C-alpha cells in the first residue's frame, strides 16, 4: 500500500512494503527518486537491516546456529505496519515475527519515521531490542537518485561535494568472492571536498568510504549546483553505486553503519565488520535527511 505525504507542493510516495521511499517530487513535477525499472534495479530506496550487503555464502552464525541471510537483510520483502500518519509524516513499524525469525533470531522492533517539510525529507530509524540478550545488527539506507536530474546532463557532468575535506580512499569490492578486503584500497581521483563522478569508478561495483569526515554530501551538477543533498549525522560510512557500465540513469547515496563482509571476517554475525550492539530493553535512533537543491 502506498502512503502519500505533501508539504508546500512537494510530494512523497512511500510503500508499506519495505517502508520504502518510491517518489520525491518538487512543485514543478520533477522526480528525484529512481523509478525502479527492473531492467537495471527493481528497488528505489530499500531499508538495510539487520545486515548490509551479503554474508559469506548467504549464511551466518547467530546464537550458535546457522541462519540464511538475504543480501541487505529482509526489510525489502517485509510488510510494515503504519502506526502514525498525518498529511506530512508517517511512521512504519516492523516487529520480529515468524518470517524474520527464520533469518534473525532476535526479538526486535524497527521503526522508520518520515517527515516532509518543504524541500527536506527527514527520516528517523529507531531500533529496539526486545530480547533478553544483546542484539547485533547493521543499519543503512540505500536511496537511488535520478541522473540526469536535469535535462541534457549525465553522470559525468555531476560531482559529489562534501562539507569537509576527504581522503577519498575506498575499499575495492571483489566481485568474484563478493567481499571487501582490508588490503585492497583504491585512491579515487579527487581532492579537497569534491569527488568528480565517472563511469569507470564503478567497474568494481559500489565505492565504499569506511569513514567520512563529513556527514553531509551533495550530488549536484558541477556547473549549476542543482541536485540533492544528504545529511547523515548518525551514520559512519558512505557508499555510492550505479550499475556497472553506466547505462542506468541513477546514482545511489548509501549511508551505512556496517558493510558487506570482509575477507578477514569469519562467519559469526556478531563479528561482522562495524557491527552494532544494543543491550536488552534499549533503543537507538539514527537520523537522516534528504534535501532537494533546485
Amino acid at each position: 500500500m502506498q502512503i502519500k505525504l505533501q508539504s508546500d507542493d512537494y510530494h512523497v510516495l512511500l510503500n508499506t512494503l519495505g517502508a520504502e521511499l518510491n517518489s520525491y517530487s518538487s512543485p514543478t513535477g520533477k522526480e528525484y527518486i529512481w523509478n525502479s525499472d527492473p531492467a537495471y534495479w527493481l528497488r528505489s530506496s530499500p531499508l538495510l537491516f539487520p545486515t548490509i550487503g551479503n554474508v559469506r555464502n548467504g549464511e551466518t552464525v547467530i546464537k550458535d546456529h546457522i541462519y540464511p541471510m538475504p543480501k541487505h537483510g529482509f526489510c525489502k520483502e517485509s510488510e510494515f505496519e503504519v502506526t502514525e500518519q498525518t498529511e506530512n509524516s508517517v511512521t512504519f513499524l516492523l516487529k520480529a515475527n515468524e518470517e524474520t525469525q527464520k533469518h534473525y533470531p532476535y526479538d526486535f522492533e524497527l521503526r522508520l519515521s518520515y517527515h516532509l517539510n518543504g524541500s527536506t525529507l527527514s527520516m528517523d530509524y529507531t531500533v529496539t531490542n526486545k530480547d533478553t540478550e544483546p542484539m547485533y545488527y547493521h543499519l543503512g539506507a540505500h536511496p537511488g537518485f535520478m541522473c540526469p536530474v536535469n535535462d541534457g546532463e549525465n553522470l559525468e557532468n555531476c560531482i559529489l561535494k562534501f562539507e569537509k575535506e576527504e581522503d577519498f580512499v575506498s575499499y575495492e569490492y571483489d566481485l568474484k568472492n563478493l567481499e571487501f578486503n582490508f588490503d585492497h584500497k583504491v585512491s579515487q581521483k579527487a581532492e579537497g571536498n569534491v569527488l568528480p563522478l565517472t563511469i569507470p569508478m564503478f567497474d568494481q561495483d559500489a565505492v565504499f568510504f569506511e569513514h567520512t569526515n563529513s556527514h553531509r554530501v551533495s550530488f549536484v551538477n558541477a556547473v549549476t549546483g542543482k541536485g540533492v543533498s544528504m545529511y547523515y549525522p548518525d551514520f559512519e560510512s558512505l557508499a555510492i553505486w550505479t550499475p556497472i557500465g553506466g547505462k542506468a540513469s541513477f546514482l545511489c547515496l548509501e549511508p551505512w553503519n556496517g558493510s558487506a563482509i570482509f575477507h578477514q571476517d569469519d562467519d559469526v554475525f556478531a563479528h561482522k565488520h562495524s557491527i552494532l550492539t544494543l543491550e536488552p530493553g534499549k533503543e537507538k535512533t539514527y537520523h537522516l535527511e534528504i534535501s532537494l537543491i533546485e
Side-chain angles (χ1 to χ4, degrees):
M1 181 177 70
Q2 283 198 323
I3 303 292
K4 297 181 180 180
L5 305 182
Q6 61 180 22
S7 173
D8 297 338
D9 287 329
Y10 290 86
H11 294 84
V12 162
L13 285 180
L14 306 155
N15 204 312
T16 53
L17 182 63
E20 188 166 7
L21 171 63
N22 291 151
S23 173
Y24 189 5
S25 59
S26 71
T28 64
K30 184 178 296 183
E31 178 59 65
Y32 284 81
I33 297 298
W34 169 241
N35 60 21
S36 303
D37 181 350
Y40 296 103
W41 186 45
L42 185 60
R43 307 294 171 182
S44 56
S45 182
L47 197 174
L48 314 184
F49 176 91
T51 191
I52 290 173
N54 58 296
V55 294
R56 188 171 288 113
N57 299 318
E59 296 181 332
T60 191
V61 177
I62 307 176
K63 297 185 180 183
D64 298 322
H65 293 279
I66 298 174
Y67 290 87
M69 181 67 76
K71 182 179 180 180
H72 292 320
F74 45 70
C75 288
K76 59 185 179 291
E77 301 295 348
S78 298
E79 189 71 22
F80 282 66
E81 174 188 353
V82 175
T83 61
E84 297 178 46
Q85 185 178 355
T86 69
E87 183 181 50
N88 68 337
S89 66
V90 65
T91 297
F92 296 99
L93 170 65
L94 178 67
K95 296 181 179 180
N97 56 53
E98 183 178 350
E99 189 60 33
T100 67
Q101 293 277 329
K102 294 177 182 178
H103 308 284
Y104 186 65
Y106 291 107
D107 187 6
F108 72 91
E109 291 184 356
L110 175 62
R111 288 175 174 81
L112 175 49
S113 296
Y114 291 90
H115 180 80
L116 179 62
N117 183 13
S119 62
T120 297
L121 178 64
S122 299
M123 288 149 280
D124 287 298
Y125 303 76
T126 300
V127 182
T128 305
N129 183 0
K130 309 288 284 188
D131 215 287
T132 58
E133 56 187 284
M135 188 174 85
Y136 299 92
Y137 63 98
H138 283 163
L139 181 73
H142 199 315
F145 298 103
M146 295 296 294
C147 182
V149 170
N150 301 292
D151 293 339
E153 71 181 16
N154 56 44
L155 182 71
E156 295 188 330
N157 298 136
C158 297
I159 59 171
L160 293 185
K161 187 174 183 179
F162 292 79
E163 62 180 346
K164 298 179 181 179
E165 290 192 359
E166 303 289 343
D167 62 13
F168 295 114
V169 175
S170 62
Y171 285 110
E172 183 177 282
Y173 192 63
D174 183 340
L175 286 169
K176 179 181 179 181
N177 296 303
L178 302 179
E179 63 188 16
F180 292 112
N181 191 316
F182 289 124
D183 300 323
H184 297 164
K185 294 184 179 181
V186 178
S187 294
Q188 300 296 330
K189 294 180 179 179
E191 60 181 27
N193 68 334
V194 174
L195 175 63
L197 296 171
T198 67
I199 293 171
M201 70 191 294
F202 299 100
D203 284 349
Q204 296 297 317
D205 205 64
V207 176
F208 170 47
F209 300 115
E210 184 179 17
H211 300 288
T212 59
N213 299 322
S214 307
H215 286 282
R216 186 184 297 276
V217 61
S218 298
F219 169 44
V220 295
N221 182 289
V223 176
T224 67
K226 294 182 178 180
V228 297
S229 178
M230 176 179 285
Y231 176 51
Y232 54 105
D234 299 316
F235 293 86
E236 185 70 20
S237 305
L238 184 72
I240 56 175
W241 173 73
T242 192
I244 294 170
K247 294 181 180 180
S249 54
F250 70 90
L251 179 77
C252 290
L253 301 182
E254 306 174 39
W256 290 353
N257 283 323
S259 72
I261 197 165
F262 273 73
H263 174 74
Q264 292 82 357
D265 290 349
D266 60 24
D267 295 330
V268 177
F269 190 75
H271 299 166
K272 278 200 76 179
H273 189 62
S274 298
I275 200 73
L276 302 171
T277 307
L278 196 60
E279 295 298 317
K282 300 296 184 180
E283 69 176 32
K284 175 71 174 177
T285 298
Y286 305 83
H287 186 70
L288 178 66
E289 294 178 8
I290 298 171
S291 298
L292 307 186
I293 306 171
E294 298 188 281

